[in-house]
Amino acid sequence: MADEKIPSEGGMVRIALLGNPNTGKSTLFNCLTGLRQKVGNYPGVTVQRKVGRMVYGKNIAEIIDLPGTYSLAADSPDERVVVDALLGEMETVERPDLVLFIADATNLQRNLFLAYQTAQLGIPMVVAVNHWDSARKRNIRIDMKALGQALGVPVVPISAARAEGITELKEVVAGALVSKPHMVEAEWPKSVEAALEAARSALPESVQPKATRAVLHRSVFDEDRSFFVRQGASSEEAGNAIEAGRQKLFKGGLNPGNAETVLLYRQIKERIAPCIELDTTRTGSGSESIDSILTHKVWGLLAFLGLMYVVFQSVYSWAGPFMDLIDAGKGLVQDQVGSFLTQWPMLQSLATDGIVEGVGAVVIFLPQILILFFFITLLEDTGYMARAAFLMDKLFSWCGLSGKSFVPLLSSYACAIPGVMATRTIQDPKARVITILLAPFMSCSARLPVYVLMIGAFIEPRYGAAVAGASLFAMHFVGLLVAMPFVYVANKYILKIPPQPFVLEMPSYQVPKVRDVLMRMYTQGKEFVKNAGTVIFAITIVIWALLYFPRSEELAEQVRLEYVANAAAEKGMTTAEVEALLEADEESAAALERKIDSAYIEQSYLGRIGKTVQPVFAWAGFDWKITVGVIASFPAREVIISTLGIIYSLGGDVDEESGDLRDVMANQKWQEGERAGQPIFTIPVVSAIMVFFALCQQCGATVAIISQETSWKYGVFSFVFMTTLAWVAAVLVYQLGSLL
Amino acid sequence: MKTLNDLTQGQSARISCYMPRFAAARRLMELGLMPGTTVRFVKAAPLGDPIALEVDGRHLSLRRVDAAQITVQAI
């Protein structure tokens, strides 16, 4: 992950945008910053960081969009980031000069809980009350003036979705940067004050001056040692100090586990309730009547399945033409570039098979990613995503996942890369990691050519179309069925993180903003190209080099002499006549060319590696040619088709429907060993190849994206684990299949 | 003793307290499930779990295993 250094040129003011999830934070962020925004991750954690610039008058301020959170009590990495950023405890992220707090007018009391917690941190604040219009529609009346007085900071009603109140908000923010208004802090009973003092005095003397009220609050209430530890206390000293504070709370008749929550809520009620007039006659909202269908026992499930079908059919079929176009464009560029460089074969190969191929391998994923994120943003912004998680949770909870895993996993059937990126909607870090590791087991569309080739060439001719169809269907579930037990075990015995409660707020249904949807597609696409793209590109070049080198003229000459001698013997011609034929007949020349390419592959570094590794794959019935194909297709599974084409001297332009390739493969026989003369591609071997490809992490792009979204350790783990599993399964299939 | 998990569709109840040593208590309170708050059982998910509650005009969904840790008084 590139750690973009967010520029903080001399004196640029920093504003942190803070609020609960689903309050319209992203929409407000987009309103304030437009296209002047950057996406990255916080250093060291995979929490997304959005930073943008707001122009007001002649000035520019930097706005950091903090993750949506309900509380400063940090349980998840998202919440950790919020607290650390606000306390100025995060390296490279400076403490903000102002907090722009966004609250939902339809749920003000709960939203302001977080504002009251933030008030303790002593940062100037402005409160924007969003969804002003829908609150009015629901007959919720808020006295803004009284609210402003109660909170002690400016309060601005806005409707971010309609861009109403944004100009006023900017003005108020500009004013607040000068006047620095602080929100009225909650009043704490004596026992809390005593507890904070007890904790402070129990700290080592060197740490005491740094233990501000804000830090003491968070440490004692959240039982969080990290603040004191960062200031130089040992973990034990920090623990003792916190324990001293909590003991005092307990003696004062407070439950340390929820004292802050209870006390704050009580004060919010007292202070805020007089400013709000609720219409209590209201029975059920518009959202509830939509939900009577969309979360209905029968209609809800049907609607869900229908919707998912539409989404993934669209990802699959809409992306198709674009991907074909990119592929065609790639071919065109390869021809053009190739024709310039015919004088320098190595440069030609590097440019066409290395660089252009590598760029193509990155760009080809873009249509799928953009279309999928179009739908994900739509599902999230309408409020349906929470309903989908509600419907599906039961199916996943038994093995430690939640309903939120459904969309990423289903989307991985098109391609694991957007699927892994889609797991960002999962907040529980454990569930997110498991879902990411599970994603490549879904049978993505790149495995399809392998299945089609093998089933079409060997299963269909022998067992008929019905069995062929059934095998193709079965191949799509092998990964899921094999992986599920591992998920269960991993969750139960390896990732022993205490389970978080599944609490989901179901937001009101809303019409999404086109601008937000486009913005999300743009930023996700850009991020993919920049981060995963570089790795995919690099891997493609490395594999190209391994396949290209070493390349000696003598080998080509040797193959040529053999070819001429063989042709002469076959056709009863003199070698001179064959040479003349080669000059005149393009087809013969091309056949010789393919023989030379095939010979080059055999003695390339990759060919040698294939031959060295082959004994390991012999257990699964693979010969060295299949093994080279397996290794060469590390950057992308579908490469196996063209690699086999080159190895079998058919050229790289074959596809899975190619009759030539099927015939040649069917005629391959073992040259030596005990099975000499027997066909290589038997049903057990074909099944082993398919199972291997179904389970193997044979996709550099997925490894790259997993490493980027989690850490490189998970990327390596995924690769090693899946490859080992694939090998074991392939060996089992082959050995058991051979017994039958 | 009745818990949130025992409510039937459409029934309302007032939250009394949380079971001791229920680790997620604080989190749920922060989301509005404070003792004294009135909640309405909206419906269970099609597969029986999780359940949807209305709290202060908002819909919250939680799993039955967590709902069983919150005692209520029917009203």
Side-chain angles (χ1 to χ4, degrees):
Chain A
M1 180 69 233
D3 280 338
E4 276 174 76
K5 180 92 177 140
I6 304 294
S8 54
E9 297 135 42
M12 165 131 25
V13 284
R14 283 170 301 273
I15 299 171
L17 187 58
L18 178 68
N20 285 187
N22 303 316
T23 46
K25 247 157 45 66
S26 295
T27 304
L28 177 60
F29 181 74
N30 290 343
C31 273
L32 293 174
T33 61
L35 280 168
R36 300 171 291 266
Q37 47 178 270
K38 271 188 187 174
V39 181
N41 278 7
Y42 286 92
V45 272
T46 57
V47 175
Q48 206 176 56
R49 167 160 88 166
K50 284 204 291 182
V51 179
R53 285 178 178 197
M54 176 181 90
V55 180
Y56 60 103
K58 283 180 186 164
N59 305 304
I60 299 173
E62 188 179 86
I63 300 198
I64 304 171
D65 185 21
L66 294 173
T69 175
Y70 293 107
S71 160
L72 290 185
D75 278 339
S76 72
D78 275 27
E79 294 159 339
R80 174 96 266 159
V81 158
V82 173
V83 188
D84 286 350
L86 291 176
L87 280 173
E89 292 276 341
M90 188 175 272
E91 276 175 59
T92 74
V93 181
E94 283 174 74
R95 191 177 155 100
D97 301 295
L98 181 88
V99 169
L100 174 52
F101 190 88
I102 178 165
D104 185 341
T106 63
N107 196 14
L108 208 48
Q109 293 199 16
R110 197 199 65 200
N111 276 230
L112 287 176
F113 175 79
L114 177 62
Y116 268 92
Q117 279 189 323
T118 311
Q120 306 290 333
L121 307 184
I123 309 170
M125 201 186 301
V126 167
V127 175
V129 178
N130 196 19
H131 297 143
W132 181 233
D133 46 343
S134 50
R136 258 183 319 201
K137 251 185 247 157
R138 291 206 210 169
N139 279 332
I140 301 171
R141 259 172 244 140
I142 303 169
D143 184 341
M144 286 292 162
K145 215 172 150 194
L147 185 63
Q149 269 164 7
L151 299 178
V153 291
V155 176
V156 188
I158 61 165
S159 169
R162 296 161 187 234
E164 283 173 14
I166 303 300
T167 324
E168 293 88 324
L169 181 63
K170 279 191 183 180
E171 273 168 32
V172 170
V173 164
L177 284 168
V178 180
S179 63
K180 301 192 187 310
H182 282 83
M183 188 169 141
V184 178
E185 285 185 35
E187 279 164 28
W188 300 99
K190 283 204 177 87
S191 48
V192 170
E193 303 294 343
L196 299 187
E197 183 48 39
R200 201 183 66 84
S201 53
L203 283 170
E205 264 176 39
S206 62
V207 182
Q208 281 185 15
K210 291 167 193 147
T212 58
R213 266 184 73 86
V215 165
L216 286 166
H217 260 279
R218 296 270 53 92
S219 303
V220 172
F221 285 135
D222 306 343
E223 273 193 292
D224 188 337
R225 299 176 181 202
S226 59
F227 302 107
F228 295 154
V229 170
R230 259 179 294 191
Q231 301 302 342
S234 72
S235 179
E236 204 190 339
E237 287 164 342
N240 288 341
I242 289 166
E243 191 47 39
R246 290 173 79 90
Q247 282 293 335
K248 265 274 190 302
L249 285 177
F250 195 71
K251 276 183 202 146
L254 294 169
N255 174 354
N258 59 28
E260 187 197 24
T261 319
V262 173
L263 289 170
L264 275 187
Y265 254 104
R266 194 179 295 156
Q267 293 188 50
I268 291 170
K269 268 231 156 79
E270 280 168 16
R271 295 188 199 177
I272 305 301
C275 315
I276 308 172
E277 206 179 304
L278 282 172
D279 182 0
T280 46
T281 57
R282 192 175 54 89
T283 51
S285 54
S287 288
E288 196 160 323
S289 51
I290 301 176
D291 268 341
S292 65
I293 298 167
L294 287 186
T295 58
H296 186 271
K297 270 193 168 67
V298 180
W299 309 128
L301 287 179
L302 285 178
F304 175 75
L305 290 176
L307 202 63
M308 287 303 127
Y309 179 78
V310 170
V311 170
F312 293 104
Q313 192 55 37
S314 313
V315 170
Y316 204 75
S317 56
W318 292 1
F322 290 105
M323 294 171 85
D324 290 346
L325 213 66
I326 293 168
D327 215 33
K330 187 183 79 180
L332 217 66
V333 174
Q334 280 172 330
D335 289 347
Q336 282 296 318
V337 173
S339 64
F340 279 124
L341 299 168
T342 35
Q343 297 299 310
W344 303 278
M346 196 200 94
L347 275 184
Q348 183 193 33
S349 179
L350 172 65
T352 58
D353 303 336
I355 296 170
V356 180
E357 193 69 43
V359 172
V362 176
V363 180
I364 198 99
F365 288 118
L366 264 183
Q368 282 195 342
I369 287 180
L370 294 181
I371 295 172
L372 186 76
F373 271 97
F374 168 78
F375 281 109
I376 284 183
T377 314
L378 219 58
L379 293 177
E380 274 185 352
D381 289 6
T382 50
Y384 185 77
M385 198 67 107
R387 272 78 182 181
F390 177 68
L391 292 173
M392 289 292 118
D393 184 64
K394 175 90 181 172
L395 274 183
F396 289 92
S397 58
W398 67 274
C399 63
L401 296 169
S402 80
K404 294 173 187 170
S405 303
F406 186 81
V407 170
L409 289 183
L410 189 58
S411 86
S412 299
Y413 270 101
C415 174
I417 292 164
V420 169
M421 287 171 85
T423 62
R424 288 179 184 173
T425 56
I426 303 171
Q427 259 141 17
D428 180 0
K430 182 170 75 160
R432 181 161 183 248
V433 165
I434 296 180
T435 311
I436 287 177
L437 293 178
L438 201 52
F441 280 102
M442 308 299 117
S443 189
C444 70
S445 52
R447 284 161 171 135
L448 195 60
V450 183
Y451 303 154
V452 170
L453 174 70
M454 296 296 161
I455 290 174
F458 301 102
I459 302 218
E460 198 178 351
R462 207 157 151 186
Y463 299 106
V467 176
S471 344
L472 190 59
F473 185 74
M475 288 316 297
H476 280 87
F477 292 96
V478 168
L480 188 62
L481 289 180
V482 171
M484 275 308 225
F486 284 102
V487 171
Y488 179 78
V489 172
N491 181 58
K492 200 146 189 197
Y493 302 104
I494 303 167
L495 291 161
K496 280 188 263 176
I497 310 164
Q500 296 226 352
F502 174 78
V503 202
L504 195 67
E505 185 177 2
M506 297 208 256
S508 310
Y509 286 106
Q510 272 176 357
V511 181
K513 273 198 86 185
V514 180
R515 217 171 89 116
D516 289 347
V517 176
L518 294 178
M519 199 83 92
R520 179 96 175 257
M521 287 166 72
Y522 169 75
T523 49
Q524 304 290 17
K526 195 171 92 173
E527 221 186 320
F528 165 75
V529 170
K530 216 167 62 185
N531 299 319
T534 30
V535 182
I536 299 170
F537 181 75
I539 295 172
T540 312
I541 302 271
V542 168
I543 293 288
W544 166 82
L546 286 177
L547 262 177
Y548 190 87
F549 296 107
R551 180 162 291 230
S552 65
E553 289 291 322
E554 291 107 66
L555 180 71
E557 198 47 44
Q558 196 189 323
V559 173
R560 186 188 164 83
L561 286 177
E562 261 172 45
Y563 180 84
V564 170
N566 279 342
E570 258 174 46
K571 297 179 185 162
M573 294 190 279
T574 64
T575 49
E577 277 168 339
V578 175
E579 295 280 359
L581 186 70
L582 278 177
E583 289 286 324
D585 179 25
E586 271 185 29
E587 216 169 286
S588 313
L592 171 59
E593 231 12 77
R594 291 198 294 265
K595 276 234 179 310
I596 295 175
D597 279 344
S598 168
Y600 272 142
I601 277 210
E602 184 172 355
Q603 58 79 59
S604 71
Y605 290 119
L606 199 74
R608 294 176 200 185
I609 295 172
K611 286 192 166 179
T612 317
V613 175
Q614 190 267 336
V616 178
F617 282 99
W619 294 72
F622 297 4
D623 71 343
W624 75 265
K625 290 177 181 175
I626 305 175
T627 308
V628 169
V630 164
I631 300 173
S633 49
F634 171 65
R637 303 171 178 96
E638 58 272 32
V639 170
I640 186 155
I641 310 284
S642 59
T643 311
L644 287 177
I646 298 173
I647 299 180
Y648 293 134
S649 307
L650 295 168
D653 287 337
V654 291
D655 65 27
E656 65 273 18
E657 305 285 350
S658 162
D660 288 351
L661 182 56
R662 290 178 181 186
D663 291 344
V664 173
M665 280 166 57
N667 289 326
Q668 288 296 311
K669 297 205 165 55
W670 290 98
Q671 300 292 330
E672 50 203 51
E674 50 187 275
R675 278 173 299 179
Q678 290 175 19
I680 291 176
F681 288 92
T682 60
I683 295 296
V685 172
V686 168
S687 311
I689 292 175
M690 286 198 291
V691 166
F692 183 85
F693 271 84
L695 298 179
C696 182
Q697 180 58 291
Q698 196 112 26
C699 177
T702 303
V703 176
I705 202 89
I706 290 177
S707 306
Q708 183 209 321
E709 292 292 314
T710 55
S711 75
W712 61 268
K713 283 182 214 152
Y714 285 110
V716 171
F717 171 78
S718 173
F719 175 69
V720 173
F721 176 68
M722 287 187 72
T723 308
T724 315
L725 190 67
W727 179 80
V728 171
V731 169
L732 278 177
V733 165
Y734 173 72
Q735 298 293 348
L736 292 177
S738 305
L739 288 178
L740 292 176
Chain B
M1 204 165 44
K2 225 174 174 177
T3 70
L4 265 184
N5 189 29
D6 303 323
L7 299 179
T8 51
Q9 184 152 353
Q11 215 178 357
S12 291
R14 185 176 294 123
I15 294 177
S16 336
C17 64
Y18 283 74
M19 299 285 186
R21 279 188 292 176
F22 174 45
R26 182 172 180 187
R27 178 98 318 183
L28 297 182
M29 283 188 202
E30 286 166 353
L31 280 158
L33 293 170
M34 290 293 294
T37 311
T38 303
V39 298
R40 187 169 64 88
F41 188 102
V42 180
K43 63 166 75 170
L47 302 173
D49 196 11
I51 59 173
L53 302 168
E54 191 192 308
V55 191
D56 294 329
R58 290 273 142 172
H59 284 180
L60 281 184
S61 159
L62 60 158
R63 287 191 183 140
R64 286 187 176 276
V65 54
D66 294 322
Q69 300 289 319
I70 306 171
T71 61
V72 294
Q73 267 180 321
I75 47 172

